[in-house]
Amino acid sequence: MKKSRFIPAFLLSAALLSGLAGCKKETEYYNPNTQTSSVTETQTELQTEPATQASTEESTEASTEASTEESTEASTEESTAAPVVSKELAVGDIWYVNTDSLNIRDYPSTDGNKIGELYRGEEVRILALAENGWVQIHSATMDGYVKADFLVSSPDQVDGAAADAAASAMPASSETSNANTSSSNGHIVCIDAGHQQAGISEQEPNGPGSSVMKAKLTTGTSGVATGLAEYQLNLDVSQMLQQELLNRGYQVVMIRTTNDCAMSNAERAVYANESGAEIFVRIHANSSNDPSVNGAMFYAPSSANSYLSADVISASNTLASTMLSFYCSTTGLANKGVLQDDNMTGINWCTIPVTIVEMGFMSNPEEDQKMANPEFQAVIAQGLANGIDAYFGR
Ligand SMILES: [Zn+2]
């Protein structure tokens, strides 16, 4: 019963989007308008629910649930019988908690495990929109899922005079202060952690209108000494870079936050294009048959690239060379230069400046072990963020 109430909304929206659990989508190109409308559908459905159903559901909640949460969720589900302000949630936006206590869950449902808690007035960033009125969020303490019904788009909309007091009583956090819109630096960066756990052998054109077909997604390489999978290294570094950029006042759009994200390279590029991001940074690690080869190398399109505008080509080369320079000076890794390549699907589908970051060689035992070290990964994130700062003239 508890799950079935979401089925109509799920069926309606499943054909439109299916991104869940840290991946933006699986079968269709991202469309912000589509996602917004699906949230609205869910809210409409909730509004028509008999108030008694909510309380019935609550009684089926696991007995281990915190009682404060049951009352919060029950009261909110009942209150959705009243008109609800239409939400224009978009990935990358900052929204505010408008309830005394809001559970963060590991899955977009009250069936998900509670992994954290938010309080009235706290800020969250929208990472992804689920299909049932839940959203994936990034908060000062963690990422997870919350019900969109509990969020409002500005601090002014948070109910009650206690909001300011509650917000000021929140645990101190560098991100919380920097996530404040007043300290935002106004720039939006999209990060793609390259690959995922499984490849996608189906093919797609390597550029709009191209007859050259390439696999939608390859599995990447792995560490010759550590055995670490590239997709995991890419994700670890990408999430460190995300945090570093948030701390510096950027808005960050993540293509994936889990290793289960069946988006092709073209789909990732299109998602980045439509996300509102100004630049697209794709995180990868390199491999060579020669174990002595080491150092960093970033990809950019050449001036002969027929898929990208001259402006995007130029800006992509500036982005790649600027980031590579700061990356190498920060990490101490060898600078192998910017490689111009017009065969990269994830570049050719872009309409915003893009670079592929090859952090170092996992085929080099020393560099592999270095990159697998979380302390060095933090330096990598610093170096990439320094390069992004420099690109934006900060
Ligand atoms: Zn790769």
Side-chain angles (χ1 to χ4, degrees):
M1 188 62 207
K2 184 173 174 185
K3 283 185 173 174
S4 68
R5 59 191 287 271
F6 284 129
I7 284 180
F10 177 81
L11 290 177
L12 271 173
S13 55
L16 304 177
L17 71 147
S18 52
L20 267 187
C23 179
K24 302 311 181 196
K25 56 156 296 304
E26 287 172 305
T27 55
E28 296 286 328
Y29 288 146
Y30 168 73
N31 180 332
N33 297 326
T34 300
Q35 296 209 1
T36 299
S37 67
S38 72
V39 170
T40 305
E41 280 164 14
T42 304
Q43 289 173 343
T44 304
E45 183 201 0
L46 288 173
Q47 287 169 32
T48 60
E49 252 181 41
T52 51
Q53 189 178 345
S55 57
T56 303
E57 276 174 35
E58 288 305 318
S59 67
T60 66
E61 288 261 26
S63 58
T64 52
E65 292 265 20
S67 59
T68 52
E69 182 210 346
E70 290 195 14
S71 61
T72 303
E73 290 186 349
S75 64
T76 297
E77 289 185 1
E78 285 163 2
S79 72
T80 53
V84 175
V85 175
S86 174
K87 289 198 161 103
E88 300 294 332
L89 288 159
V91 170
D93 283 356
I94 296 173
W95 284 63
Y96 300 83
V97 175
N98 189 28
T99 186
D100 289 337
S101 168
L102 176 58
N103 285 342
I104 306 175
R105 295 185 178 276
D106 64 357
Y107 188 80
S109 156
T110 49
D111 288 339
N113 295 313
K114 177 182 172 181
I115 57 175
E117 197 167 357
L118 294 165
Y119 302 98
R120 186 178 296 278
E122 279 199 75
E123 298 174 356
V124 299
R125 275 171 208 276
I126 308 301
L127 298 179
L129 309 177
E131 66 247 32
N132 56 6
W134 288 67
V135 289
Q136 187 186 21
I137 56 96
H138 176 84
S139 74
T141 49
M142 69 181 65
D143 292 0
Y145 295 88
V146 301
K147 279 182 118 174
D149 291 341
F150 294 101
L151 303 177
V152 292
S153 61
S154 86
D156 303 341
Q157 294 172 355
V158 176
D159 295 328
D164 289 345
S168 63
M170 287 186 324
S173 143
S174 58
E175 189 206 331
T176 301
S177 57
N178 286 316
N180 189 305
T181 44
S182 63
S183 65
S184 163
N185 68 30
H187 292 297
I188 308 174
V189 176
C190 185
I191 302 172
D192 176 28
H195 310 283
Q196 67 151 2
Q197 192 152 11
I200 308 173
S201 57
E202 284 173 50
Q203 297 199 319
E204 63 186 358
N206 77 338
S210 173
S211 59
V212 178
M213 302 294 284
K214 290 179 71 176
K216 286 188 171 182
L217 203 65
T218 56
T219 52
T221 186
S222 61
V224 67
T226 64
L228 180 64
E230 184 197 340
Y231 65 79
Q232 184 65 57
L233 173 64
N234 295 343
L235 181 59
D236 290 344
V237 169
S238 293
Q239 292 187 309
M240 285 190 185
L241 176 59
Q242 173 193 23
Q243 191 59 54
E244 183 62 32
L245 292 176
L246 290 171
N247 290 345
R248 298 185 188 202
Y250 289 89
Q251 286 190 48
V252 181
V253 177
M254 299 292 284
I255 293 293
R256 68 177 177 101
T257 54
T258 76
N259 284 321
D260 182 16
C261 173
M263 284 174 76
S264 76
N265 284 318
E267 289 164 346
R268 293 178 189 214
V270 170
Y271 185 91
N273 295 340
E274 297 181 358
S275 72
E278 298 161 271
I279 59 172
F280 189 27
V281 178
R282 318 194 65 167
I283 305 297
H284 283 262
N286 221 333
S287 180
S288 166
N289 291 330
D290 179 352
S292 71
V293 174
N294 66 91
M297 187 176 76
F298 289 14
Y299 283 99
S302 83
S303 58
N305 189 303
S306 57
Y307 305 107
L308 277 61
S309 73
D311 286 350
V312 170
I313 292 170
S314 171
S316 297
N317 278 274
T318 302
L319 176 67
S321 61
T322 305
M323 283 189 68
L324 178 60
S325 170
F326 279 83
Y327 175 78
C328 290
S329 62
T330 304
T331 61
L333 296 178
N335 185 333
K336 294 182 73 67
V338 172
L339 190 67
Q340 292 184 326
D341 189 320
D342 296 325
N343 192 37
M344 294 291 193
T345 309
I347 288 179
N348 294 344
W349 282 89
C350 281
T351 55
I352 58 174
V354 56
T355 183
I356 296 175
V357 170
E358 295 284 1
M359 298 181 280
F361 281 81
M362 299 186 87
S363 48
N364 178 284
E366 194 183 333
E367 210 154 85
D368 171 33
Q369 282 167 331
K370 218 172 192 178
M371 291 192 293
N373 182 338
E375 287 178 19
F376 190 72
Q377 290 170 1
V379 178
I380 288 177
Q382 291 273 345
L384 295 172
N386 291 347
I388 290 169
D389 272 351
Y391 173 80
F392 285 115
R394 298 182 71 248

